[in-house]
Amino acid sequence: MSSEILSVLEYMEKEKGISRADMIAAIVNALKTAALKGVNSGQELKIDINPKNGQLKAWSLLKIVDSISNPKVEIHIEKAQALRPGAQLGEFIEKEIDPSTLGRIAAQTARQAVMQKVRQFEKERIYDDFKDMVGNIVSGVVRRRERNDLYVDLGKAEAMLPGKEQVPGEEYQPGERIRCLLLAIESSPRGPEVILTRASPKFVRRLFELEVTEIADGTVKIEAFAREPGYRTKIAVSTADQKVDPVGACVGARGARVKTIVRELGGEKIDIIRYYPDPKEMVIEALKPAAPRDIVFDEKNHRIIVKVATDDLAVAIGKGGKNVRLTSRLLGWRLEVEEFKTTSDDPRATAIASLTKAFALETAAAERLVAIGINSPAAFSGVEQNDLIDAGFTTEEAQDILSRVTKASV
């Protein structure tokens, strides 16, 4: 039995990280409990295990009496004095027993109790090992998929990447390495459960902190952050150091820093913009390359209405409205994007303005031209001097107008 115990102690110490002292205490308590349920019931036992060689010794604790009523817990004084000279009535003596007498059932029960204790140790160790790593990035190997959840081997423990914390479109197979953020340690009936995430904005934020030294040392500050996993991340950065370009620091030389993060995210787009305290400037920055034509603030409802040209509408809204939602979260305002429609002025006034601007005409002359149907510079095509005279213009006026038209077309 000693070799078996020694192998258990060595395995638990090397593979599970459970100290020999803790394992010995667990085995001793389990053996005592199990033995008292078997043939040794009623006895008080002392059990010792040598941590170096695994040797097991057992003693029964007996009370010294001159008349025995229960031989399992009492010993006659003559036998006691033979074992220990000078023994006195009422004292207790330890009598060594053969460990094999503890019984086969006791050994099986002890084995179950030991395994239960081992599981308890493992649960406690998992919490102790990972409680200070919450919020950090960990690396592991995908072991299996159950329903929509991935189970990842982190070395010291197995963690779960729930379906809701996975990035849409990402597929990992058993045996592949994966990097995740340690999101939380949750209690469950089976003990502490390590929960991972790749979909949380905290994962991307942590990647930036690891990749961009200026963020890690506080030179560049992440002021606002929003993410649609698998689609796009928007990050607004600032700095108090005028010598540092916060956007450039995050992008890196030739985009090296941000490219590293994009690769880790499987090609997810990342927009890095400069942070502005003014919401209007932030809207303009966040929606680029779409250019707002009009911005209306509804302070009462904490809402921003942005109007963009028809060509920019799809870009500003994004696929399935994702860009609007993303920008809204970044700004902290409810954002609505609408198509910008030019409010057409009075057609007559517009025509008059176009003629005066094109040919440097007097307003009165432009009004008379519009009245006879010449409402744009292009309408002069084919118009001759007699046409204008017939319409009521004098010869001098007709000549002046046509000379202006000729001069403008040269």
Side-chain angles (χ1 to χ4, degrees), residues 41-62:
S41 61
Q43 285 187 328
E44 187 173 354
L45 300 176
K46 176 184 175 183
I47 299 174
D48 181 66
I49 297 175
N50 189 315
K52 294 183 179 179
N53 56 27
Q55 185 177 2
L56 171 67
K57 287 187 176 183
W59 298 265
S60 62
L61 298 180
L62 303 172

Side-chain angles (χ1 to χ4, degrees), residues 18 54 156 167 195 231 301 337 388:
I18 303 173
K156 293 183 178 180
V167 175
I195 306 298
Y231 169 68
N301 298 306
V337 176
L388 295 179

Side-chain angles (χ1 to χ4, degrees), residues 144-306:
R144 67 189 187 280
R145 177 181 289 275
E146 291 184 8
R147 295 180 183 175
N148 198 33
D149 301 331
L150 282 180
Y151 287 85
V152 181
D153 183 4
L154 298 180
K156 293 183 178 180
E158 188 175 70
M160 182 175 72
L161 178 62
K164 65 179 181 179
E165 297 298 340
Q166 298 173 31
V167 175
E170 285 189 346
E171 290 291 338
Y172 284 91
Q173 302 302 322
E176 287 189 89
R177 292 203 66 82
I178 187 172
R179 292 178 78 196
C180 305
L181 182 88
L182 204 162
L183 184 63
I185 301 177
E186 296 181 353
S187 298
S188 73
R190 295 176 296 178
E193 199 165 54
V194 180
I195 306 298
L196 306 176
T197 181
R198 281 182 62 84
S200 171
K202 295 177 182 178
F203 178 52
V204 182
R205 178 185 285 267
R206 187 66 182 132
L207 287 173
F208 269 99
E209 290 172 353
L210 293 175
E211 193 65 34
V212 182
T213 54
E214 288 84 353
I215 292 179
D217 64 21
T219 304
V220 174
K221 184 179 178 183
I222 297 175
E223 297 283 358
F225 203 100
R227 185 187 184 199
E228 283 278 344
Y231 169 68
R232 189 185 295 270
T233 289
K234 287 183 183 286
I235 173 174
V237 293
S238 68
T239 181
D241 190 340
Q242 295 183 353
K243 297 179 181 178
V244 176
D245 173 14
V247 176
C250 295
V251 173
R254 297 183 181 178
R257 288 175 170 177
V258 74
K259 283 179 182 177
T260 301
I261 298 173
V262 169
R263 279 196 299 270
E264 177 60 47
L265 299 176
E268 181 178 311
K269 296 180 178 66
I270 297 179
D271 295 340
I272 305 170
I273 65 173
R274 184 182 288 270
Y275 173 79
Y276 294 96
D278 183 3
K280 184 175 181 180
E281 290 185 274
M282 277 292 289
V283 169
I284 296 171
E285 280 290 310
L287 286 178
K288 286 181 178 178
R293 301 290 292 274
D294 189 24
I295 301 174
V296 179
F297 283 85
D298 181 359
E299 297 280 355
K300 182 179 179 181
N301 298 306
H302 205 64
R303 182 180 64 157
I304 302 175
I305 302 171
V306 178

